[in-house]
Amino acid sequence: MLKSVLLALLICGAAVTSRAEDGSRLWLRYDTVSSSAKIETRIDSPTVRLAVGELSSFWKGGKVELQLMADSRHYSLGNEGYTISTRNGVTTLSSVSEKGLLYATYHLLRLQSCGADCSNLDISEKPAFDIRVLNHWDNPDGTIERGYAGQSLWKWEELPAVVSPRYAEYARANASIGINGTVLNNVNASPDVLSSDNLIKVKALADVFRPYGIKVYLSVNFASPIKLGGLATADPLDGKVAEWWKVKADEIYTLIPDFGGFLVKANSEGQPGPCDYHRTHAEGANMLAAALKPHGGIVMWRAFVYSPSDDDRAKQAYLEFRPLDGQFMDNVIVQVKNGPIDFQPREPYSPLFGAMPHTQLMVEFQVTQEYLGHSNHLAYLAPMWKEFYSYIAPADLKAVAGVANIGDNINWCGHDLAQSNWYAFGRLAWNPELASRDIAEEWLEQTFTADKEFVSPMTEVMMESREAVVDYMMPLGLHHIFAWGHHYGPEPWCEIDGARPDWLPKYYHQADADGLGFDRTENGSDAVSQYPDSIVAVFNSLEKCPEEFILWFHHVPWKHKMASGRTLWDELCFRYQRGVDSAKHFAEVWEEMSPYVDSERYSAVSHRFDIQASDAVWWKDACLEYFRTFSRMKYPSGVDKPVFSLKQLKKVKLPIDNYTCPSADMLPSAND
Ligand code: GCV
């Protein structure tokens, strides 16, 4: 019989220490209580100790009990679900697992922070997906591909000897929103990640994350058996290669018994893969899956593939992966980006979803704002992810991944308001039914203040922000018209000698004297036919296609009449102008917020809203002035005259790479 020890853990909260509002506390800005409530539990484990510590430090209500329950109700909530109930002034948190109790704890504290009435709770929660992971694109040298919040959090050179306190803070933040996995390194993976020396460092991180319910995964380089193992080949059907991976998996699991598995980018953008040996993606994935399976590990195999072929890039992942449906092992999940191209401000959903009924699929969202103004612009992304779920049922997905926007900046995400995207990613990964607006409100309340004078206007700003970015960057289904070398500013005119056509904006916008947009109808590239018939009927028709996707699917004449009654050209001008107006409005609203926000975060965000407003003008002028050389039409009334000339903007070359966010002095300004 298990020894049953009643632990009445009373941990007095530490004295409130005043600290600068540097954004480091994220949404976890709980006030420490001076005399803590009674927190009771019979369980003593690292995870439950964390839960008890949180409640003792921050729970302002009455007694709380934490209990493991294996009854049918809790069993039906799965391994991570939980209930919270109140009776006679006692709040009871119950789950079949300790992890569930930790999630219940954060739920309770969230309710308290948001000012909810916690006196009569009856809550049941169960996550929609079993696997809810962040994908870090962090490199061994500390840089982060498409990361705009400093260097990597992982200090490989110090590990395992020095274990930064930020690792536990990171894990705590993730646990508080239900994220249960982290892929530590870039999908453009270095083979050295799997070296024995490095695995000891990975173990040190896994040990910190474990009590928070977070599993560690690694991105692996498919050619590791050659580059690290000294083999002559990485052919997945070669017995020595399979054995190399098996031995490597055994080594990993000896160190990290709960290791999650591998994430693989293969035969994509120059990465090695099974196709180098004329094997399929399924053969490559299955070989790795076989090595992990005895340990309970999984392979997340990315479907982000395209090559410089004649086929429309938007079609390629489907063409390559759909024929493999049913061929993947049951511990492989094919990871598909939400749209068919690449995390653009707006894309239709990828047609692979729904097209591989015999394969486990997961969606990959991008939390970092590679194509949405980096960490200079506010683009609250919950509405974008909800848009995806308006087409794809969560039940058809096995898991969800988000490319992290986290770095070693003190405020984690560069822009204080970009923390909302990390938060929203976790909340929606747990429950995709949540409303974007509710998530925005609860995030604002916890991160800043519950004062309605702040929360109401800022919720509106957040809710409008993604659409504003679409408007001033790429309205009406335009996509990938970014400058060469970075994905920050506009360069729809870009031409680079010898560059792959599908890396150039003209490939995507197809502007000419007749009109604008990529013809993906049955008369064009026919990408539309990859969707189910009911959707083809809509997207293929110029009349029925939602205008938000019209230039994605159609080459539209400049004088085509839009729903508003305007011509395409006028509508385009109107959308760019609307984006500029919104960005200016955000800056104005923020100015009114100074009484409610500490001065540190107030000025940091102000500065970024100013950049966003002036970048919006840059985008509008660059795109409209350039497209006007084709439409040869005038700006309609109500649309501002350009501040910048095309000649001026064509000279702009930002001195940034894949790893930086431009500073204000690098950007074109209306005062230049
Ligand atoms: C990690 C885009 C990005 C690359 C990224 C790639 C991917 O092409 O620009 O930086 O590489 O997507 O998702 O693999």
Side-chain angles (χ1 to χ4, degrees):
M1 205 171 100
L2 281 176
K3 195 175 160 199
S4 157
V5 184
L6 178 64
L7 295 170
L9 295 165
L10 293 165
I11 302 173
C12 289
V16 182
T17 46
S18 83
R19 52 195 288 187
E21 287 287 7
D22 51 18
S24 60
R25 290 193 291 161
L26 295 160
W27 49 88
L28 298 163
R29 294 168 62 260
Y30 309 135
D31 296 329
T32 312
V33 290
S34 48
S35 90
S36 49
K38 196 170 186 200
I39 314 298
E40 281 193 2
T41 184
R42 291 167 187 274
I43 320 145
D44 184 21
S45 76
T47 300
V48 172
R49 255 176 264 143
L50 288 173
V52 171
E54 296 280 17
L55 292 166
S56 304
S57 301
F58 306 116
W59 174 243
K60 295 179 190 156
K63 184 172 155 188
V64 182
E65 293 173 348
L66 291 85
Q67 58 184 22
L68 291 177
M69 288 287 284
D71 60 353
S72 58
R73 178 177 180 206
H74 289 90
Y75 191 72
S76 71
L77 297 176
N79 191 41
E80 297 178 300
Y82 55 85
T83 59
I84 305 177
S85 54
T86 12
R87 203 160 301 124
N88 304 326
V90 179
T91 307
T92 306
L93 313 185
S94 314
S95 171
V96 296
S97 74
E98 293 159 17
K99 217 204 268 199
L101 296 177
L102 186 62
Y103 291 146
T105 297
Y106 287 118
H107 190 146
L108 189 62
L109 292 175
R110 178 168 66 241
L111 292 175
Q112 174 177 270
S113 290
C114 295
D117 176 3
C118 297
S119 61
N120 192 19
L121 300 173
D122 183 15
I123 293 168
S124 286
E125 283 282 332
K126 178 183 178 169
F129 307 106
D130 291 343
I131 301 169
R132 308 174 296 277
V133 284
L134 283 177
N135 290 182
H136 287 264
W137 285 357
D138 295 20
N139 298 313
D141 66 0
T143 56
I144 306 177
E145 183 154 349
R146 313 304 178 182
Y148 314 108
Q151 296 284 105
S152 173
L153 270 184
W154 327 129
K155 303 301 172 198
W156 297 113
E157 67 293 349
E158 297 177 350
L159 284 162
V162 179
V163 177
S164 157
R166 284 208 108 186
Y167 303 150
E169 289 171 28
Y170 163 85
R172 175 180 181 236
N174 280 323
S176 76
I177 49 176
I179 290 171
N180 67 2
T182 180
V183 184
L184 296 177
N185 62 309
N186 192 351
V187 287
N188 293 325
S190 159
D192 294 337
V193 163
L194 291 178
S195 70
S196 300
D197 284 352
N198 198 59
L199 290 177
I200 290 168
K201 297 167 191 265
V202 174
K203 171 189 160 40
L205 290 175
D207 289 345
V208 176
F209 299 162
R210 187 169 299 111
Y212 292 92
I214 293 164
K215 281 190 182 184
V216 158
Y217 299 74
L218 290 174
S219 294
V220 297
N221 183 301
F222 199 78
S224 299
I226 304 175
K227 298 190 179 156
L228 196 63
L231 300 190
T233 177
D235 181 350
L237 299 195
D238 185 302
K240 287 203 202 71
V241 171
E243 180 60 19
W244 187 89
W245 283 106
K246 192 185 155 308
V247 170
K248 189 46 83 178
D250 293 348
E251 180 188 352
I252 296 172
Y253 280 93
T254 307
L255 292 167
I256 310 166
D258 57 350
F259 180 69
F262 296 149
L263 172 63
V264 192
K265 173 176 178 177
N267 295 115
S268 162
E269 299 186 329
Q271 293 300 313
C275 309
D276 301 344
Y277 307 94
H278 309 288
R279 312 297 184 198
T280 67
H281 283 276
E283 287 168 324
N286 291 345
M287 183 268 301
L288 294 178
L292 296 170
K293 193 164 168 90
H295 307 284
I298 61 160
V299 172
M300 295 177 282
W301 189 272
R302 296 176 92 226
F304 177 64
V305 292
Y306 63 101
S307 51
S309 73
D310 287 343
D311 250 321
D312 176 0
R313 172 171 167 185
K315 292 168 70 176
Q316 293 188 27
Y318 179 102
L319 291 174
E320 206 161 326
F321 275 78
R322 189 169 187 241
L324 303 176
D325 186 27
Q327 296 180 25
F328 292 92
M329 278 176 58
D330 62 2
N331 62 329
V332 176
I333 310 177
V334 175
Q335 179 167 308
V336 185
K337 289 189 181 182
N338 58 294
I341 301 263
D342 190 12
F343 300 137
Q344 296 302 291
R346 171 167 274 126
E347 296 194 32
Y349 76 90
S350 163
L352 266 177
F353 295 107
M356 297 185 71
H358 307 293
T359 304
Q360 301 187 109
L361 296 183
M362 64 191 287
V363 60
E364 178 179 348
F365 294 126
Q366 197 178 42
V367 188
T368 190
Q369 292 170 231
E370 174 180 357
Y371 295 103
L372 290 141
H374 298 186
S375 59
N376 279 344
H377 296 198
L378 169 65
Y380 171 56
L381 297 176
M384 173 152 111
W385 302 328
K386 292 286 290 182
E387 198 169 291
F388 171 82
Y389 289 122
S390 71
Y391 287 93
I392 304 302
D396 293 341
L397 302 173
K398 179 72 186 159
V400 56
V403 181
N405 63 346
I406 302 159
D408 70 355
N409 273 7
I410 189 70
N411 73 358
W412 304 90
C413 301
H415 194 320
D416 286 286
L417 302 186
Q419 295 173 358
S420 62
N421 288 329
W422 177 7
Y423 183 85
F425 170 75
R427 297 287 284 127
L428 285 174
W430 182 276
N431 180 4
E433 303 292 325
L434 292 175
S436 305
R437 177 174 293 274
D438 293 345
I439 299 173
E441 277 173 4
E442 66 178 42
W443 177 79
L444 286 165
E445 285 165 356
Q446 294 171 90
T447 308
F448 290 95
T449 165
D451 193 320
K452 285 279 160 269
E453 300 295 316
F454 173 81
V455 174
S456 303
M458 284 311 294
T459 302
E460 294 310 320
V461 165
M462 286 175 68
M463 290 300 291
E464 286 168 29
S465 60
R466 182 268 182 147
E467 205 60 44
V469 178
V470 170
D471 276 345
Y472 63 69
M473 284 190 184
M474 286 169 240
L476 299 170
L478 283 173
H479 50 290
H480 230 314
I481 54 176
F482 292 95
W484 183 258
H486 58 82
H487 292 152
Y488 186 83
E491 201 175 347
W493 51 81
C494 176
E495 280 185 276
I496 303 279
D497 279 347
R500 277 172 60 161
D502 56 350
W503 281 352
L504 294 172
K506 288 181 177 181
Y507 174 93
Y508 299 98
H509 64 63
Q510 307 262 327
D512 60 20
D514 298 332
L516 182 64
F518 197 130
D519 185 355
R520 295 195 165 102
T521 66
E522 286 161 356
N523 299 324
S525 80
D526 198 25
V528 73
S529 69
Q530 294 181 340
Y531 289 91
D533 290 350
S534 56
I535 299 216
V536 177
V538 176
F539 289 167
N540 192 55
S541 150
L542 184 56
E543 285 68 42
K544 293 190 196 142
C545 184
E547 286 191 348
E548 65 214 32
F549 297 132
I550 201 160
L551 301 178
W552 185 284
F553 286 110
H554 296 267
H555 190 67
V556 183
W558 291 113
K559 294 201 171 148
H560 172 78
K561 208 161 187 201
M562 305 290 285
S564 60
R566 301 182 188 101
T567 62
L568 168 67
W569 168 251
D570 283 3
E571 184 69 26
L572 193 71
C573 293
F574 168 77
R575 299 280 176 131
Y576 275 106
Q577 182 65 48
R578 194 171 70 179
V580 167
D581 293 345
S582 297
K584 288 182 178 163
H585 172 69
F586 300 161
E588 285 159 14
V589 174
W590 186 254
E591 257 182 50
E592 305 290 311
M593 296 300 114
S594 65
Y596 310 102
V597 183
D598 49 278
S599 59
E600 292 99 324
R601 289 185 298 170
Y602 176 77
S603 32
V605 170
S606 261
H607 174 66
R608 288 190 152 82
F609 272 133
D610 289 345
I611 292 179
Q612 182 166 10
S614 106
D615 284 350
V617 176
W618 172 25
W619 268 96
K620 165 185 163 291
D621 287 355
C623 296
L624 289 182
E625 282 295 277
Y626 171 70
F627 291 136
R628 203 159 69 90
T629 64
F630 298 94
S631 78
R632 309 223 159 263
M633 292 165 80
K634 291 201 177 109
Y635 287 113
S637 72
V639 173
D640 296 343
K641 291 217 169 58
V643 171
F644 301 103
S645 71
L646 196 52
K647 197 166 157 210
Q648 201 180 358
L649 292 179
K650 281 189 174 178
K651 287 194 204 132
V652 175
K653 295 280 171 241
L654 298 187
I656 59 169
D657 49 27
N658 294 355
Y659 313 106
T660 39
C661 182
S663 54
D665 56 337
M666 296 174 188
L667 299 167
S669 141
N671 307 322
D672 284 354

